[in-house]
């Protein structure tokens, strides 16, 4: 079994999808959390000065989605065909675009403006893409479903009811949170406000 060390900040953010994927396979990992206030003194030690990074047997890998895809393949959480992967990857990239430009400073006016103008069309698109299916891929769970949950959790801190008009996305979140390994992780993970 390789040795895994995840380095991220002491909150869920982009690190949480990696934690979900490792938890899903009951893989032991070091959950190294840097306090954001201490970050300036560590930044230059990491590729491109960004987190998360995952060390696998001492080698450092960066970029959330690249790491996520690697772990998801190992966990059996990617598509069952190249075309399914194409659909799943498009969902992942859509969610990633959405969270990448979210105003994480939390400025109330900026959050409202962003959610009204850019957020709602994305949510409507995701709700439509999910449709009557149980999971984004159809009848089987993939890491795109997990990414929806880990990403929307962060936004919910700033606008708690932002998914209220999208019952299918809400139900998907609940479904993911009820996957036994994920439920166990949510129960044992360090409690952080976002
Ligand atoms: N596309 C990159 C984005 C990495 C990124 O922007 N990470 C943020 C935290 S979510 C960061 O390291 N911020 C601190 C900084 O830029 O100094 C990824 O997904 O890994």
């Amino acid at each position: 079994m390789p040795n895994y060390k995840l380095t991220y900040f002491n909150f869920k953010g982009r690190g949480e999808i990696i934690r979900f994927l490792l938890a899903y396979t009951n893989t032991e990992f070091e959950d190294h959390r840097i306090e954001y206030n201490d970050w300036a003194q560590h930044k230059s030690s990491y590729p491109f000065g960004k987190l998360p990074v995952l060390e696998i047997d001492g080698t450092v890998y960066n970029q959330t989605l690249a790491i996520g895809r690697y772990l998801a393949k190992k966990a059996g959480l990617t598509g069952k065909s190249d075309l399914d992967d194409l659909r799943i990857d498009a969902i992942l990239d859509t969610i990633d675009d959405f969270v990448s430009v979210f105003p994480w400073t939390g400025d109330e006016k900026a959050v409202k403006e962003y959610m009204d103008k850019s957020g709602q069309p994305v949510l409507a698109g995701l709700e439509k893409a999910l449709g009557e299916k149980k999971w984004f891929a159809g009848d089987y769970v993939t890491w795109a479903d997990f990414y929806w949950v880990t990403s929307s959790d962060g936004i919910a801190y700033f606008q708690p009811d932002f998914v209220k008009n999208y019952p299918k996305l809400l139900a998907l979140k609940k479904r993911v949170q009820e996957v036994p390994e994920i439920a166990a992780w949510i129960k044992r993970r360090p409690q952080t406000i976002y």
Side-chain angles (χ1 to χ4, degrees), residues 173-193:
K173 185 165 185 169
K174 191 160 176 286
R175 218 171 280 135
V176 170
Q177 288 167 335
E178 285 170 359
V179 170
E181 296 81 2
I182 297 301
W185 166 250
I186 290 172
K187 208 169 156 195
R188 77 173 180 275
R189 70 185 170 186
Q191 294 306 306
T192 55
I193 53 172

Side-chain angles (χ1 to χ4, degrees), residues 4-8 11-31 33 51-56 61-72 75 77 143 146-147 150-151 182 185 188:
Y4 292 105
K5 176 179 174 182
L6 169 69
T7 301
Y8 191 61
F11 50 78
K12 299 179 191 85
R14 289 183 174 275
E16 196 64 12
I17 182 64
I18 299 170
R19 299 186 186 114
F20 263 41
L21 289 166
L22 290 165
Y24 180 74
T25 47
N26 292 309
T27 302
E28 274 187 35
F29 66 103
E30 186 184 339
D31 190 7
R33 292 166 182 247
L51 298 178
V53 301
L54 184 68
E55 281 176 62
I56 307 177
Y61 299 92
N62 68 307
Q63 284 292 348
T64 315
L65 294 183
I67 297 166
R69 193 164 289 111
Y70 171 82
L71 294 174
L77 285 170
W143 70 298
F146 288 10
Y147 201 46
T150 60
S151 301
I182 297 301
W185 166 250
R188 77 173 180 275

